[in-house]
Amino acid sequence: MKINILLCDTFPGLLPEYIPSYTSMFTKLFSSVSEDVTFDEFRTFEGELPEKLSPEDIYLITGCNQSAYAQLPWIENLLEWIKRAARQHTKLVGICFGHQAICLALGGDVKRYPGGWGMGIRESEIDDDDMKRFFPNEKLSLLYNHHDQVTALPHDAVCLASSEFCHYDAVRIGNHILTFQGHPEYVPEYEQHLLEYHSEGEDPQVIDAAWRSIEQKKHLGKEVARFILHFFK
């Protein structure tokens, strides 16, 4: 199975030396749970999008520092591409910004959350029997880093996991679209790096709570990767 990574940001200045690129976080994650996955990259933030869509491939839309509703040409082109891909029942995965972009493109809504920054490890209640088999205690537990949230789903979307902070933490549309607000590709050390060096202007109580959550809870990124591959098989 090939995963086409639609890279929406390179996060210049935010990656520590031990992470060579943002794309490498995804390739390392999926390679750790399957030997049968190959990868391709499209620099979507520079306007590059796949023209020919294979029904066998997965197309994964990554995180980004921009908002899905930002009126930038490359984002507007991405939203139109998502609509076309969805009409063809292309296998789509959205992560954080990608989750929001897919939902927005297909009729949902995305807004900046007035409750503040979502950071650290958050647990969400899973409401899907198939998904529950992949997660201990029937909870989705992931690293998060977001201000925006999906506030309304496309009409044919189903919420798979929800929390008090973010109602739509995981979403499914049919059997060809799967999205997550959290970051399965992150590792706890990277989240701690962001908290230590890139959290200027954020609420100190939120930062302290995020540190504690990383120390006390388990990030289940590999479980999400396994579920994604299972979902599309």
Side-chain angles (χ1 to χ4, degrees), residues 39-73:
F39 303 92
D40 201 356
E41 177 189 284
F42 296 84
R43 294 174 72 84
T44 296
F45 69 100
E46 293 179 346
E48 188 177 9
L49 288 163
E51 294 184 6
K52 295 183 179 180
L53 301 178
S54 168
E56 305 300 324
D57 291 0
I58 293 173
Y59 296 82
L60 186 152
I61 303 171
T62 72
C64 178
N65 264 336
Q66 295 289 344
S67 294
Y69 48 79
Q71 294 181 340
L72 297 174

Side-chain angles (χ1 to χ4, degrees), residues 2-230:
K2 180 193 283 188
I3 299 178
N4 299 279
I5 298 173
L6 277 62
L7 184 65
C8 298
D9 207 330
T10 57
F11 298 102
L14 295 184
L15 299 179
E17 292 182 357
Y18 58 83
I19 299 178
S21 69
Y22 185 36
T23 295
S24 74
M25 299 174 79
F26 287 100
T27 59
K28 184 176 181 178
L29 170 65
F30 284 99
S31 296
S32 72
V33 300
S34 175
E35 297 178 351
D36 300 323
V37 180
T38 61
F39 303 92
D40 201 356
E41 177 189 284
F42 296 84
R43 294 174 72 84
T44 296
F45 69 100
E46 293 179 346
E48 188 177 9
L49 288 163
E51 294 184 6
K52 295 183 179 180
L53 301 178
S54 168
E56 305 300 324
D57 291 0
I58 293 173
Y59 296 82
L60 186 152
I61 303 171
T62 72
C64 178
N65 264 336
Q66 295 289 344
S67 294
Y69 48 79
Q71 294 181 340
L72 297 174
W74 75 264
I75 294 179
E76 293 172 348
N77 289 340
L78 172 62
L79 298 182
E80 290 301 316
W81 180 91
I82 291 170
K83 294 176 185 178
R84 177 170 68 91
R87 286 195 298 268
Q88 298 181 29
H89 284 247
T90 304
K91 298 173 181 176
L92 298 180
V93 175
I95 303 298
C96 196
F97 167 86
H99 157 78
Q100 297 165 7
I102 289 173
C103 289
L104 183 63
L106 301 182
D109 199 10
V110 176
K111 291 185 172 64
R112 190 172 182 89
Y113 181 55
W117 189 28
M119 194 64 173
I121 294 179
R122 183 165 73 237
E123 289 186 343
S124 305
E125 297 291 336
I126 296 174
D127 188 23
D128 177 80
D129 290 339
D130 189 35
M131 188 175 177
K132 286 177 181 178
R133 297 192 293 112
F134 287 80
F135 297 90
N137 302 322
E138 301 181 352
K139 293 182 184 296
L140 174 64
S141 180
L142 281 180
L143 290 159
Y144 288 81
N145 180 17
H146 66 109
H147 288 93
D148 290 342
Q149 291 191 18
V150 173
T151 55
L153 292 181
H155 76 277
D156 52 351
V158 176
C159 180
L160 301 181
S162 181
S163 68
E164 289 187 4
F165 184 86
C166 180
H167 190 67
Y168 303 116
D169 271 325
V171 171
R172 170 181 64 81
I173 302 177
N175 61 0
H176 61 291
I177 299 176
L178 191 61
T179 70
F180 296 88
Q181 179 58 67
H183 284 275
E185 78 282 10
Y186 277 17
V187 293
E189 294 79 9
Y190 177 57
E191 188 98 335
Q192 290 169 328
H193 169 81
L194 293 177
L195 287 168
E196 185 169 359
Y197 298 107
H198 303 286
S199 59
E200 301 86 355
E202 299 292 349
D203 186 338
Q205 292 184 341
V206 172
I207 295 172
D208 290 343
W211 277 103
R212 290 195 303 273
S213 72
I214 296 170
E215 294 169 353
Q216 297 169 2
K217 300 176 182 178
K218 184 178 180 181
H219 170 63
L220 301 179
K222 288 186 177 181
E223 286 79 359
V224 169
R226 291 189 185 98
F227 178 66
I228 289 171
L229 297 179
H230 160 80

